[in-house]
Amino acid sequence: MKTIEALAPDQASLSAASKLTKQSNWPRLEKNEQLALIWGECQGSGSNPYRVVVDTGDHGYKCTCPSRKFPCKHTLALMWIAATTPASFAAAGSTPEWVNDWLGRRRKTTSQAPAPGAGGKSIGEASRDEENDVVEDAASVERREAAQRKRAQDTRSAVSAALDELDQWISDQLRLGLAGFVDNSSDRCRRIAARLVDMKATALAGRIDEIPSRLMGLRSEERPDAAIRELGKLVLLAKAWRLTPDDAELKRLVSSSESREQVLANPDAMQIESSWEVLGEKIETRRDGLVSHSTWLLDLNSASPRFALLLDYFPASAGRRSNAFTPGDRFDARLVFYPARQPLRALMVDRKGDISSGEWPDFGFDIADPLAAHVAYQDMAPWLTDCPVMLPPGAILKDDRGDAWWQSADDPHGIALPIADTVSPTLLGLDLTATAALWSGSRLHLLAAQSGFGRLDLS
């Protein structure tokens, strides 16, 4: 799946591909294991299906659709099916002619040229041919780079126009009143999100599409304030992008993310080799048909709480997948972080082995302000939503309405934070020496805690 995410030109293509992974969309799915080929026919809106072929060895591909995105959604969907349900492909008795034609052209373009002097040509003629090839190659590289610069400029212009429309849309919501926005947030957000996708602000569109679910998770009296926060973060993100449109973090949040290969090749990407513990996970089904799977890690060798996020996406139609990690797992590993003002998202590139369990380090908590780390995150990147925090000693209690709260042990009458999740009655009143959680600005999503009974899995 990570290979597919890396190949995808943008998040919108991944989302579109996820909708094409159903068997009913593919009247033909076949493979040739000896040639490392898979191919299929995907029924589109026309009378003739699109023909798609993929070389699973080097990820070469071909699709007959007219899309200008490479690879297209049909190619990504075919790869997705191969990764999640390989049994869907039947072993082919013979390779279709259109697959052989594509394979023949690939071989022709990748085969080596004859040695100098071969084929009846003199050494001088061969040298001139080589010089011409070099000139042609240089010209091809220049054309390709020019086309890339033009695409980048077109994307920047489109995203800039999209942010102008977003500003106007936010102004309209404020003018019409927050009560109306909260009541109709689903339709209103869906319309502007669709518009932003058309204008290449795909990541921002996905974020706006999730606003209604975030609001509906709160009490009705809290929703207007939460709506103000969400819209305010969008305004700040748009302003930051306009100031530095080439910033990697802002491009990731507004348009599209870097591939795995780009992150690993970035010399400025932060790398940390340490001992890590899996705190917990957060799995959410998005409105675009993808499932977001977040796995949160804690650096066990850091003097202050340091977190890492491993983020994965897969289509909801594929069903729940087996987890690569289990809460409480501990191991040594090297992580490479996506460049950001407050690096959180990371890639695991070298896992060296499991280590024994034990207590978390003594982080020296700020008892007076348990959310000091959240404030620091917001100062650096105010457009962030869920921020990881490590809370000092406290306990989980319930109020008269049945709502669960985390409450500080040293200030039982002052600091209390509402909890979004359902809390097991066995945890109520239990002394917690430290608690790892995500703070959204209004609710805690608990991950794990340490107590006199050892580690507690809360996610």
Side-chain angles (χ1 to χ4, degrees), residues 295-351:
T295 303
W296 288 93
L297 308 179
L298 175 67
D299 185 349
L300 298 174
N301 296 332
S302 177
S304 58
R306 180 160 56 196
F307 301 90
L309 167 64
L310 306 179
L311 184 59
D312 192 15
Y313 296 96
F314 59 91
S317 59
R320 187 181 177 100
R321 301 186 303 176
S322 59
N323 296 338
F325 304 98
T326 300
D329 283 353
R330 289 188 169 196
F331 47 81
D332 291 326
R334 180 167 63 94
L335 270 58
V336 178
F337 287 76
Y338 285 72
R341 289 155 182 80
Q342 290 282 1
L344 281 176
R345 186 179 177 185
L347 298 169
M348 185 177 297
V349 295
D350 186 13
R351 178 170 175 172

Side-chain angles (χ1 to χ4, degrees), residues 131-187:
E131 291 175 0
N132 290 336
D133 288 342
V134 171
V135 173
E136 290 174 358
D137 288 344
S140 299
V141 169
E142 176 59 31
R143 285 195 299 271
R144 183 166 62 251
E145 292 179 347
Q148 290 174 346
R149 289 193 295 269
K150 185 178 186 306
R151 284 196 298 270
Q153 184 57 46
D154 290 345
T155 298
R156 180 183 294 186
S157 299
V159 170
S160 179
L163 295 181
D164 290 341
E165 288 206 15
L166 176 64
D167 286 344
Q168 184 59 54
W169 178 79
I170 292 175
S171 297
D172 291 342
Q173 308 317 306
L174 298 177
R175 177 176 53 81
L176 295 172
L178 285 175
F181 172 74
V182 170
D183 292 340
N184 298 285
S185 61
S186 182
D187 290 339

Side-chain angles (χ1 to χ4, degrees), residues 35 37 94-107:
L35 297 177
L37 292 177
S94 60
T95 307
E97 191 63 31
W98 59 273
V99 174
N100 286 327
D101 288 344
W102 173 76
L103 196 59
R105 287 195 298 272
R106 291 196 82 209
R107 287 172 176 165

